[in-house]
Amino acid sequence: MINLNPSDKALVPFVSVDHMMKLIHHIGLHDMLKGIAGYIENDFKRWESFDKTPRIGSHTDDGVMELMPTSDGLDYGFKYVNCHPKNTEHGLQTVVAFGLLADVASGYPVLLTEMTLLTALRTAATSAVVAKLLAPKGARVMAIIGNGAQSEFQATAMQAIVGIDEVRLYDIDPAATAKCAANLQGTSMKIVACKTGQDAIEGAHIITTCTADKAYATILTDNMVGAGVHINAIGGDCPGKTELAEAILHRSTIFVEYPEQTRIEGEIQQLAADHPVTELWQVMTGQAKGRTSEAQITLFDSVGFAIEDFSALRYVRDQIKATKLFHPLDLLADPEDPRDLFGMLQRAG
Ligand code: NAD
């Protein structure tokens, strides 16, 4: 637990949206993406020490609300996250999230934090860690189809971690592309706004799909995808919600976070339950092969797994210690005599 004040032993550090934004500016976006990426890589390399389960989702026609827990035996973390693609029509975010980290020995929470921004960072960091592993050598150009809330984070992580210097954008809503292009103007990357998805992927080494629609969508058709590219498919992450034509999956080598969850939520829900996939942690530990030829199409069927949130939560816990960018939160009833909860209540009256 962060030492807030010796007399406030049960106060829990809470990182608000405002504090998270200050933390990102304090550390620097590139450095924070690299920092989170480092934690994710390290945690994937010790994959077997984690308690893992597919996330628990509550589905409706319009969206899903999910809980994502995991533990390494020392720390326990979970994230609450939703995905409601129609929210933007009502001025609301498609995805919002918050999360908690707890000390396994006592069960006491040690951090409560906003995770809407942090999810965008950890998703982008994961995409970049995987692209660094699988994208064709010397990849410099990426396409992003779906230019909503996640898009600039995706581009920035690919710049910081993979060395991307050109981003080609497409969205069915030109206003989203204009927003994304304007937000990325300050970077040293060349930004190209495109009129079609086909235009956007022209010459791209990495193709990121991050659209939101609760449907079996076809953002990429088979004929759009040429040999040798890396596809980073992040928008198909829920039963009944995919982005790629099935034929692309049959031409690709498919890499996943946690097969038990991805088979329910990812692009591979379109395939037979025993279709071969490669687990990323095994590539990272040298137990499985990554890209094996220049012509190969590698596909990261990203759905977002709890360990990435756990890595991000621990990163934030470690960073806020020095910055004091948190509120001490009176979250836990913790009487001086642990068995006198009732007495504490009476005295408060
Ligand atoms: P958002 O609603 O802010 O943006 C989505 C964009 O996709 C919108 O601009 C929309 O106009 C565009 N779009 C919809 N259909 C399209 C189509 N057919 N062609 C081109 N563009 C289209 O959503 P967001 O927060 O950026 O999230 C994007 C997706 O990423 C969501 O589906 C979300 O569930 C997913 N996501 C995945 C992970 C992960 O770990 N894999 C993490 C976070 C979000």
Side-chain angles (χ1 to χ4, degrees):
M1 193 176 295
I2 296 168
N3 198 359
L4 298 159
N5 176 335
S7 62
D8 297 333
K9 67 183 171 73
L11 294 180
V12 178
F14 167 60
V15 180
S16 64
V17 175
D18 185 49
H19 274 145
M20 185 61 77
M21 293 196 288
K22 288 192 170 111
L23 184 69
I24 297 168
H25 283 293
H26 172 76
I27 294 170
L29 182 54
H30 277 219
D31 284 345
M32 187 146 166
L33 285 162
K34 287 185 199 163
I36 294 172
Y39 274 54
I40 291 171
E41 264 183 301
N42 288 338
D43 286 342
F44 270 59
K45 284 182 183 162
R46 59 189 187 100
W47 189 259
E48 283 160 304
S49 56
F50 283 92
D51 187 12
K52 296 176 285 293
T53 177
R55 62 182 154 196
I56 302 143
S58 175
H59 300 272
T60 66
D61 289 346
D62 289 336
V64 60
M65 285 155 289
E66 299 165 322
L67 288 176
M68 303 172 70
T70 192
S71 171
D72 66 354
L74 284 176
D75 296 303
Y76 169 90
F78 78 83
K79 177 170 84 175
Y80 164 88
V81 65
N82 77 314
C83 179
H84 284 66
K86 290 182 189 148
N87 268 5
T88 48
E89 292 165 20
H90 311 290
L92 300 173
Q93 290 278 111
T94 298
V95 175
V96 293
F98 70 90
L100 183 138
L101 195 68
D103 168 42
V104 167
S106 64
Y108 270 38
V110 296
L111 175 70
L112 178 68
T113 177
E114 87 79 39
M115 285 193 83
T116 305
L117 284 157
L118 196 56
T119 292
L121 262 67
R122 78 79 156 122
T123 305
T126 306
S127 291
V129 164
V130 174
K132 196 178 67 175
L133 209 60
L134 300 177
K137 249 201 194 103
R140 287 282 171 272
V141 181
M142 82 178 288
I144 305 184
I145 302 184
N147 304 152
Q150 309 301 317
S151 59
E152 298 92 340
F153 295 91
Q154 288 286 324
T156 308
M158 291 292 183
Q159 181 188 29
I161 294 166
V162 184
I164 287 301
D165 57 24
E166 178 175 337
V167 186
R168 303 175 65 79
L169 302 173
Y170 171 69
D171 194 293
I172 36 166
D173 180 357
T177 302
K179 174 256 346 172
C180 183
N183 283 342
L184 293 174
Q185 273 318 320
T187 69
S188 53
M189 291 184 288
K190 181 180 171 192
I191 310 298
V192 184
C194 301
K195 292 211 159 45
T196 65
Q198 181 71 57
D199 268 4
I201 66 172
E202 208 57 56
H205 309 113
I206 298 173
I207 303 169
T208 291
T209 53
C210 53
T211 64
D213 191 3
K214 200 159 182 197
Y216 293 109
T218 312
I219 303 306
L220 296 179
T221 54
D222 190 28
N223 62 328
M224 287 167 81
V225 178
V229 297
H230 173 66
I231 303 172
N232 172 47
I234 74 160
D237 60 355
C238 180
K241 178 166 173 271
T242 58
E243 295 181 303
L244 307 184
E246 185 187 333
I248 298 171
L249 310 184
H250 291 288
R251 291 165 57 214
S252 306
T253 310
I254 302 171
F255 297 84
V256 302
E257 292 141 313
Y258 181 54
E260 288 85 339
Q261 182 176 314
T262 312
R263 291 203 190 273
I264 301 168
E265 301 179 348
E267 296 300 326
I268 58 171
Q269 64 186 280
Q270 302 180 66
L271 302 178
D274 59 352
H275 189 94
V277 295
T278 305
E279 293 187 51
L280 284 161
W281 72 271
Q282 293 192 323
V283 182
M284 291 184 195
T285 53
Q287 296 173 55
K289 289 194 171 106
R291 172 173 290 276
T292 52
S293 80
E294 276 181 30
Q296 187 181 21
I297 300 169
T298 51
L299 164 62
F300 174 26
D301 186 2
S302 163
V303 291
F305 187 55
I307 291 178
E308 294 145 33
D309 299 309
F310 180 88
S311 309
L313 283 165
R314 280 175 35 259
Y315 176 84
V316 167
R317 177 199 60 193
D318 294 349
Q319 294 300 317
I320 61 171
K321 283 178 193 164
T323 62
K324 304 275 188 293
L325 287 170
F326 57 83
H327 298 287
L329 201 64
D330 184 15
L331 183 69
L332 308 173
D334 189 45
E336 220 154 86
D337 172 355
R339 286 171 300 187
D340 194 20
L341 188 63
F342 193 84
M344 182 182 80
L345 170 67
Q346 275 183 329
R347 286 189 292 281

